[in-house]
Amino acid sequence: MATFLYRIGRWAFRRRRLVLRLWLGALVVAVAAAALAPAAEEEDLSMPGTESQKAFDLLDERFPESNSQGAEARLVFQAPDGQRVTAAQNKAAVEDALGSLDGGDQVASATDPYETGAVSEDGTIAYSTITYTADAVDLTEPTKSALDDAASQARDAGLTVEIGGSALESEEEPGGTTEIIGVAVAALVLILALGSLVAAGLSLLTAFVGVAIAFGLVSALAVPLGLTSTVAILALMLGLAVGIDYALFITSRFRDELAQGSEPEEAAGRAVGTAGSAVVFAGATVVIALVGLGVVGIPELTKMGMGGAGAVVLAVLVALTLVPALFGYFGRRILSRAARKATRQGIGRPVPTSAGRPGLGTRWARFVLRRPVPVLLIAGLGLGAVALPALSLELGLPGDESKSVQTTERRAYDLLSEGFGPGFNGPLTVVVDTSASSGSADTRATTDQVVRTVRGVDGVASVGDPVLSRTKDTAVLTAVPRTAPNSGETKDLVQAIRGAVSGVEADTGAAVLVTGTTALNIDISEAMSDALLPYLTVVIGLAVLLLTLVFRSVLVPVKAALGFLLSVGAAFGVLVAVFQWGWAADLVGIEQTGPVMSLMPILIIGIVFGLAMDYEVFLLTRMREAYVHGASPGEAIVNGFRHSGRVVAAAAIIMISVFAGFIGMNSPTIQTMGVGLASAVAFDAFVVRMAIAPAVLALLGHRAWWLPRILNRVLPNVDIEGEKLSRHVPASATELDATVPQLRRVHDYRH
């Protein structure tokens, strides 16, 4: 691989004009395709195979006119203090407001609260349900304006009016102040780490090219592939983070090769052959982990994984081709002024890189070597303490209750809870299907038996009258819980109802399904919990296998996997503390605590796995390179931090900044993702890879790099550190003189 990538790097350097034209052409095509593509539709979250999803599909088949997962709105009316909403004046105001919606474009129906009994017991709150002929994303602006006008009309009459439901849901657009701040921090870190505006600008420019192409492709394919805005934002987030990091790693190695006296073209080839090999492996781990999300069975999660994987692939391709092509334009200007001056004075021989006081990375590595046990205990126990809240992790899906109290959706939710009980906002739909039973004429009797059974379940506040389908073989009824939608009691209630109606199914042969948004959320959360451990096992197994191939060691992969578990556990602890317990919630703009979004844990595991392997590879590659060339285990650790510590730290800060930049968005999904990924990267890079890893390696000594002979013969040698490249294409005659004895030591070590 190293030799192949070496040739790619030199080819891109020589054919830089062609490479630049190709990437600019791809950018123009992607942007044009995105601009011409129709707007994407936000699809409902689904979980094929679950009882609730089967019921939704059955409702769409038997009640096509109801549009079971279509757009609806609730106008919630509250009378002034001391008055009732049933008073003549207030009743007239409500009916006039609802009358303005009759016959409106896209309006299917608007219920009268006085006819349907949608008035609270104390008579102060009433609501009307407005159903539409289109999904939320297809509602026109005049339709939404008519809803707002109806609410304003009733407010002018003295009533308090709020709007709930899906009709006002809007798509979250990427871009904003916090993201710009995150990119600005990344740019500042690049300048400080590289000491050159040219080098920093190159890394940012190439990352933006990859991100723009990825974002354009996701936008262009949104309609044919059903991609949502969350997929686009994830692609943007991941593309920026890994794009900057991968360009930084290759640029840093290019600068090292130039400082050692290599010509620019040779330096570009060697940079891509060595650091590029690590980039390919690191990108492959991210892609595999993201594509693997498809095994969970949630279409939205699969699309997010595929979109993020596509952005990572583009970032790798840009780093391997466009970055060395730009090296051809800038040459030695990539170096800082001091480095260029030193290179000119010492051209043809390696420029000393360790003169003067050792760098921070070297000093830290030596500190860990002197005190490996205290460092290991402090770092391990610290991460364990941060991970403790994860034991209280609760999964759920955000609804109107998680929105800001400044929104009308949240105020409507609170009014309905006040007037009709906390469970009113999460009704359960019970579907009775007698089509496969002995006689469909008994649908009414079977349904009555189901109603009696459901009413007898503890925790059910009320059960509505059943509605029969046109074919008379399916009935639907609504059960209102006494508890809030996201509460543990409601989760238990769903299972209790399903258990209770199983007896009716056995007696009658009918199929009784419990569904509704609340039940679907519960089923998805349970599916996520059940899939978490198997997916984590697969990811850990993959990590051990890949790292065994890379480092030809047994203990290094095990150490890396255990460290990954620590960083992920600590990240989950942060999510619980912030989003469930409300710690520091004001800092990230969280106004309402609740369960962690169901998709987040498994999504964070998939993304962080790949990113954690990035840092493991980039840091330990230099260590193994030094070790196989004759360095002692301690010297190898110091060498790894000397060459890669600063770059890995800068890359981690950049990634944290990019992820943290998305915390300011109003979407709970994106906020949770930003907090989880930023904290996971911080823990993994600075605690696991830079403290725990060198401490463990110091304690293991030579045993860290041990590989059984049978595995040594069976496993292919991927040569990620570019050993074959150093053997066959030394950078200069001076390096060749130094390489021969090193290769002799390698030969002696291996044999």
Side-chain angles (χ1 to χ4, degrees):
M1 179 187 291
T3 305
F4 172 71
L5 293 177
Y6 166 82
R7 296 193 183 102
I8 288 181
R10 294 195 63 168
W11 175 84
F13 186 96
R14 290 194 304 269
R15 305 298 300 273
R16 48 188 172 271
R17 290 183 178 84
L18 173 62
V19 173
L20 185 60
R21 290 192 190 103
L22 289 175
W23 279 111
L24 288 179
L27 177 62
V28 170
V29 170
V31 172
L36 297 175
E41 297 183 0
E42 292 295 299
E43 295 185 353
D44 294 305
L45 195 61
S46 61
M47 185 71 186
T50 60
E51 178 176 323
S52 52
Q53 188 62 49
K54 291 177 181 177
F56 270 129
D57 296 339
L58 183 64
L59 288 174
D60 288 336
E61 176 187 343
R62 306 286 172 82
F63 296 86
E65 70 283 354
S66 67
N67 193 13
S68 65
Q69 292 179 289
E72 71 169 22
R74 276 180 175 171
L75 276 178
V76 186
F77 306 91
Q78 183 181 37
D81 291 341
Q83 298 184 27
R84 291 177 176 267
V85 77
T86 53
Q89 182 179 357
N90 294 330
K91 182 178 180 180
V94 170
E95 291 178 340
D96 289 344
L98 296 176
S100 67
L101 295 173
D102 286 340
D105 187 28
Q106 296 183 305
V107 176
S109 64
T111 62
D112 187 329
Y114 305 103
E115 294 180 359
T116 59
V119 179
S120 62
E121 291 184 2
D122 60 5
T124 60
I125 298 174
Y127 71 90
S128 170
T129 301
I130 299 95
T131 57
Y132 294 91
T133 58
D135 293 335
V137 293
D138 294 326
L139 294 182
T140 63
E141 287 304 320
T143 299
K144 295 181 180 181
S145 297
L147 185 62
D148 288 329
D149 292 342
S152 298
Q153 180 179 337
R155 291 190 187 107
D156 293 340
L159 298 174
T160 297
V161 186
E162 304 296 346
I163 307 173
S166 61
L168 294 184
E169 290 182 357
S170 59
E171 180 178 333
E172 183 68 35
E173 294 291 340
T177 304
T178 54
E179 296 94 297
I180 295 174
I181 294 175
V183 174
V185 172
L188 178 61
V189 172
L190 280 173
I191 294 172
L192 294 176
L194 298 174
S196 167
L197 287 173
V198 173
L202 184 148
S203 298
L204 286 173
L205 176 63
T206 53
F208 286 149
V209 169
V211 165
I213 295 175
F215 191 79
L217 290 177
V218 170
S219 301
L221 297 174
V223 171
L225 298 183
L227 306 180
T228 63
S229 62
T230 304
V231 177
I233 294 174
L234 179 61
L236 176 62
M237 184 186 299
L238 275 178
L240 268 179
V242 302
I244 296 174
D245 278 6
Y246 293 167
L248 170 62
F249 288 128
I250 293 179
T251 301
S252 177
R253 189 62 184 248
F254 176 70
R255 286 156 55 92
D256 287 347
E257 297 296 335
L258 287 179
Q260 292 296 324
S262 298
E263 290 299 319
E265 182 179 332
E266 179 69 18
R270 293 177 66 85
V272 176
T274 52
S277 297
V279 164
V280 169
F281 170 79
T285 58
V286 181
V287 169
I288 291 171
L290 289 174
V291 172
L293 292 172
V295 303
V296 178
I298 297 183
E300 175 66 10
L301 192 61
T302 301
K303 293 171 186 177
M304 292 173 70
M306 295 298 293
V312 174
V313 169
L314 277 170
V316 171
L317 294 177
V318 166
L320 297 180
T321 56
L322 183 57
V323 170
L326 293 180
F327 289 161
Y329 285 100
F330 295 105
R332 297 185 185 277
R333 283 178 291 172
I334 296 290
L335 296 170
S336 62
R337 290 184 179 180
R340 289 201 301 269
K341 181 178 179 181
T343 304
R344 285 194 298 268
Q345 293 174 350
I347 192 71
R349 66 178 187 275
V351 177
T353 57
S354 57
R357 186 185 181 193
L360 179 60
T362 301
R363 297 199 302 274
W364 170 252
R366 290 173 178 170
F367 172 82
V368 175
L369 286 174
R370 290 193 301 269
R371 303 173 180 84
V373 174
V375 170
L376 181 59
L377 289 176
I378 293 173
L381 293 176
L383 281 183
V386 177
L388 281 178
L391 298 175
S392 302
L393 178 65
E394 297 178 6
L395 300 181
L397 290 175
D400 288 345
E401 76 281 359
S402 65
K403 296 182 178 179
S404 168
V405 293
Q406 304 300 321
T407 63
T408 185
E409 296 97 323
R410 170 61 187 279
R411 293 195 294 267
Y413 178 95
D414 292 340
L415 283 178
L416 290 172
S417 296
E418 176 186 344
F420 302 93
F424 184 81
N425 285 290
L428 303 175
T429 302
V430 181
V431 183
V432 182
D433 179 17
T434 62
S435 59
S437 59
S438 57
S440 58
D442 295 331
T443 299
R444 171 62 68 178
T446 301
T447 303
D448 290 341
Q449 186 177 351
V450 171
V451 170
R452 291 193 299 270
T453 302
V454 174
R455 282 177 177 164
V457 176
D458 187 31
V460 175
S462 63
V463 177
D465 295 331
V467 177
L468 294 178
S469 64
R470 293 178 180 177
T471 56
K472 307 299 183 182
D473 59 357
T474 307
V476 178
L477 56 99
T478 300
V480 178
R482 297 186 185 276
T483 51
N486 272 329
S487 68
E489 292 85 353
T490 302
K491 177 180 178 181
D492 295 337
L493 176 63
V494 170
Q495 302 304 329
I497 293 176
R498 287 172 174 169
V501 298
S502 61
V504 179
E505 292 178 313
D507 294 340
T508 64
V512 183
L513 307 174
V514 181
T515 187
T517 302
T518 299
L520 179 62
N521 292 351
I522 291 172
D523 286 347
I524 291 177
S525 298
E526 289 185 350
M528 290 294 95
S529 298
D530 294 340
L532 195 58
L533 186 58
Y535 181 72
L536 187 59
T537 303
V538 172
V539 166
I540 293 297
L542 180 63
V544 172
L545 176 61
L546 292 178
L547 291 180
T548 301
L549 288 174
V550 171
F551 296 116
R552 306 191 70 78
S553 164
V554 173
L555 297 180
V556 166
V558 172
K559 178 269 305 174
L562 293 177
F564 166 69
L565 286 176
L566 278 175
S567 57
V568 167
F572 289 171
V574 171
L575 289 180
V576 171
V578 174
F579 292 93
Q580 285 184 210
W581 298 352
W583 294 5
D586 292 340
L587 295 178
V588 295
I590 304 298
E591 296 186 7
Q592 181 65 36
T593 59
V596 174
M597 186 176 180
S598 303
L599 304 182
M600 284 303 106
I602 202 164
L603 186 62
I604 289 174
I605 287 174
I607 296 174
V608 174
F609 162 70
L611 302 182
M613 296 307 103
D614 283 4
Y615 302 128
E616 183 78 9
V617 170
F618 289 120
L619 195 57
L620 267 70
T621 295
R622 284 298 187 100
M623 295 183 190
R624 184 176 186 274
E625 184 178 352
Y627 182 75
V628 299
H629 284 85
S632 67
E635 291 170 347
I637 294 172
V638 173
N639 183 76
F641 274 88
R642 179 186 301 119
H643 288 96
S644 301
R646 183 179 182 183
V647 177
V648 169
I653 294 174
I654 289 169
M655 201 168 284
I656 293 168
S657 301
V658 172
F659 289 150
F662 287 84
I663 296 175
M665 300 186 75
N666 293 326
S667 168
T669 302
I670 304 302
Q671 283 183 316
T672 308
M673 197 183 304
V675 171
L677 292 178
S679 58
V681 170
F683 293 137
D684 195 86
F686 293 108
V687 182
V688 173
R689 308 304 157 190
M690 292 195 173
I692 293 178
V696 172
L697 292 176
L699 293 173
L700 291 176
H702 290 283
R703 289 167 295 180
W705 308 104
W706 170 77
L707 184 70
R709 290 184 179 181
I710 185 172
L711 289 180
N712 192 38
R713 290 194 300 266
V714 173
L715 294 178
N717 187 0
V718 296
D719 187 29
I720 200 168
E721 70 274 8
E723 181 185 328
K724 293 181 180 178
L725 179 62
S726 299
R727 183 185 309 161
H728 292 104
V729 284
S732 64
T734 304
E735 285 186 295
L736 181 60
D737 295 337
T739 302
V740 171
Q742 290 175 341
L743 293 177
R744 187 176 296 114
R745 289 198 298 272
V746 174
H747 181 274
D748 294 340
Y749 165 74
R750 288 190 166 181
H751 296 83

